[in-house]
Amino acid sequence: MSGLTDNTKLLKRLRPGLLVLSTALGALAVCGNVMQAHDSLRWSISDIPQWLFYSALAFLVCIAGEYAVRYLQRSDNDSILQRKINFLNFQSGWQQRLIITVIIFLFWLPYLLYLYPGVIWYDTANQLLQWNHLPNLFTSGQITDHHPIFDTMVFGLFVQLGNLIGSGDYGVFLYSLIQSAITACVLAYCLQYMRQLGVSRRMLMLSLAFFCLFPIFPMYSSAMAKDSLFLPIFVLFVIQCAQLVQKRGERLINLRPWMALLVISLLMALTKKTGVYIALVVELMLFVYVQKKARLRLAAVMIIVTMVMTVILPKVVFPIANIQPGGKQEMLAVPFQQSARLMRDHGDSISENQRDSIQKILGKDVARRYVPGSADYVKGFVWDNTKNKYLPRYAKAWFEGLIQHPLTYAEAYAGLEYAWLAMPNASDRHIDERLMPVYAQGANHGFFSGHEQVGFTGTGLASPERAGNRGARVERIILWLEQTPIGMVLFSRAIWSTWITAFLVYQCLRRRRRGGWIQLLRISPLAIAYASLWISPVSASIEAMRYVVSLVCVVPLACAILAVHPEDDETR
């Protein structure tokens, strides 16, 4: 019996679950690397050492994560930090929130001033052109819901305000200041909630330093882009959901928390296309868990959000405001990409009817337009409604291709999403595709045709060209930092998306007999938001970086949830 007991203890020390997870993460990393390098998922013998290396690295990262959570959850009320920084206690209340907000904002302010008048993205430029009824990538001047109309309205109003005082550039700068301040305030609130959970001051101070010093936050929190507007709303949504799990949604019975959840859920849906799906899926999961009294309130939130997004906006608001709905090509980006690869690799061998059905939707030159890393060249940016009648035929042709060439479909999909898996490699010419670079050259507001008609005149501290040069300098410095040996780990796109999410979910599952399911429910918004990455039309571009930032923001909160015992927190 003693020998059996010793073997059991040894097995526990080896952590078989963690070994399986690490091995899987290593294999996925190799798949991402192979896909990017060879446009194929087929391994060679030379890839096995790479697999072993990444598996070992994943195991070490997970072990380090476990020890970090254990260390940070220890009580440290008598620490040096407690005695020397006694004005910062992270407790509830506006006074502490203001102090934390000011600290974060002051660390971000140098970025804002140096990149004056503020960074706008290419998508935002097209939204501003639409708001001013000017020709753009999507229409000849009509406003479209290709990008969320709510975001277009917010950006357009700020630029209009800037034009009233001399230049649209002033409006972008004002937006950058306000957006950064709001995001800093929400992160301060997040730290206060972590304090309510009962985590150590050590964890709070480290999280505060993370928010202040990690350059990803000021760069993406201040930019005029739809994901930057979505970011603080998502953090608030995660906190709301974590609070609902407490006492099985009892707080939802009161009107004020219910209204807060409703408003935040609506903003989730209005500011980002995938936001509505994240909100509804998470709330559906909560619906199963909360007590009966709270289910009716939660159901009301889901119904209202659904009605607004599927009936009120498209059927009432859009026709009245002459807003053109977004095209179907965005939601069909993945199957379109798979069909394009099918035509490229097997176009001569598939049936004529199947080939014709694909070409009716995607065009006769679709095979030539196929690019492994992006679906934009295949799907385009505008949908022709005359193609709607061909969609049933296309769906049949797509399923036939899936049965005939499943590997081709898998490789087309992997080509789009490989950056969520591939690890940085110093010898790779496209290493930035696997890191988390920043975009700052959008400080040059003259980079798109029509900028003067929008109101970007270059009035102020610097000309657009100089602002763009400063932005390029910031990009180079941060990319250099990311390409250092330590930087390639700290800024890895795969680690911050796939590895950390897998680690958090694994930690919840291994604690399933000690409240792990409750912890998993609390971090479910992060897990669902991560799952939404896998329907992206691209993963390796700078544009795709925006999708990851909201996940990075809530990692400290997710770690705080892991550090707290659910059974103890139920009484809080």
Side-chain angles (χ1 to χ4, degrees), residues 174-311:
L174 180 62
Y175 175 87
S176 297
L177 293 174
I178 294 176
Q179 173 72 19
S180 297
I182 291 173
T183 305
C185 185
V186 169
L187 294 179
Y189 176 58
C190 179
L191 291 169
Q192 288 179 298
Y193 177 66
M194 290 166 61
R195 170 70 175 80
Q196 291 177 19
L197 289 176
V199 301
S200 68
R201 183 181 179 84
R202 187 185 293 119
M203 175 176 275
L204 293 171
M205 292 300 294
L206 186 62
S207 299
L208 175 60
F210 178 57
F211 291 145
C212 289
L213 301 176
F214 205 53
I216 297 299
F217 294 128
M219 291 302 303
Y220 287 92
S221 296
S222 62
M224 184 175 273
K226 54 189 176 184
D227 292 272
S228 299
L229 190 58
F230 172 79
L231 193 154
I233 298 167
F234 178 71
V235 176
L236 287 175
F237 181 74
V238 176
I239 296 172
Q240 284 286 318
C241 294
Q243 290 174 332
L244 278 182
V245 175
Q246 186 175 327
K247 296 184 179 179
R248 300 178 70 90
E250 182 180 300
R251 70 192 306 270
L252 202 60
I253 299 173
N254 299 321
L255 181 61
R256 189 172 176 179
W258 179 80
M259 286 295 298
L261 180 64
L262 174 60
V263 171
I264 293 170
S265 299
L266 282 171
L267 289 174
M268 284 274 292
L270 290 170
T271 55
K272 190 174 180 178
K273 290 293 186 178
T274 56
V276 62
Y277 304 111
I278 296 171
L280 292 178
V281 170
V282 171
E283 286 165 357
L284 187 61
M285 295 168 65
L286 291 172
F287 181 84
V288 177
Y289 177 76
V290 299
Q291 56 184 278
K292 291 182 179 180
K293 293 181 180 179
R295 286 181 181 173
L296 185 60
R297 291 291 184 95
L298 193 57
V301 171
M302 291 188 285
I303 292 171
I304 292 172
V305 171
T306 303
M307 289 296 293
V308 167
M309 300 308 296
T310 61
V311 178

Side-chain angles (χ1 to χ4, degrees), residues 2 62 68 103-104 107 133 142 217 227 244 283 303-304 309 348 369 372 414 438 444 491 497 501 547 557 561 565:
S2 61
C62 291
I103 292 173
I104 295 174
F107 274 92
H133 303 289
Q142 185 181 12
F217 294 128
D227 292 272
L244 278 182
E283 286 165 357
I303 292 171
I304 292 172
M309 300 308 296
D348 295 334
R369 299 198 323 268
V438 300
N444 173 9
F491 292 90
S497 56
T501 304
Y547 312 153
L557 175 57
I561 290 172
H565 297 291

